[in-house]
Amino acid sequence: ATGLEASCAFDEIGPERAATPLTHALAPQAVLGVFERIAQRAPPPAFVLGLRAAHFGLGEAPSAAAREALAEGWRLAGELLA
């Protein structure tokens, strides 16, 4: 994720109504909104784990900061799943 101050963030999300997408890409909140419209009920609790990133280059190795954020994300995920 871009714009994160910490190396990772873990946030609960809820459904959002998205404009009709022009591609197959939907934000996680929009996916929950689709679930809500189809199932006619609230979606289950959902969370997003974001890792700080600044630059993505096709074929480039992750930067040291990206590797650090990934390690922190794995640590957090391990704590949450323990």
Side-chain angles (χ1 to χ4, degrees):
T2 58
L4 292 181
E5 291 185 28
S7 60
C8 68
F10 183 73
D11 299 301
E12 186 167 13
I13 60 169
E16 290 182 3
R17 221 182 232 303
T20 302
L22 300 176
T23 71
H24 288 88
L26 289 175
Q29 296 87 340
V31 172
L32 294 176
V34 170
F35 173 91
E36 191 172 57
R37 287 192 304 277
I38 291 172
Q40 296 295 303
R41 64 181 177 90
F47 302 85
V48 170
L49 175 62
L51 304 176
R52 183 177 57 212
H55 176 75
F56 299 91
L58 184 61
E60 292 182 10
S63 67
R67 290 191 304 273
E68 177 186 317
L70 179 59
E72 180 65 18
W74 275 116
R75 185 196 62 73
L76 179 59
E79 286 179 16
L80 293 167
L81 296 171

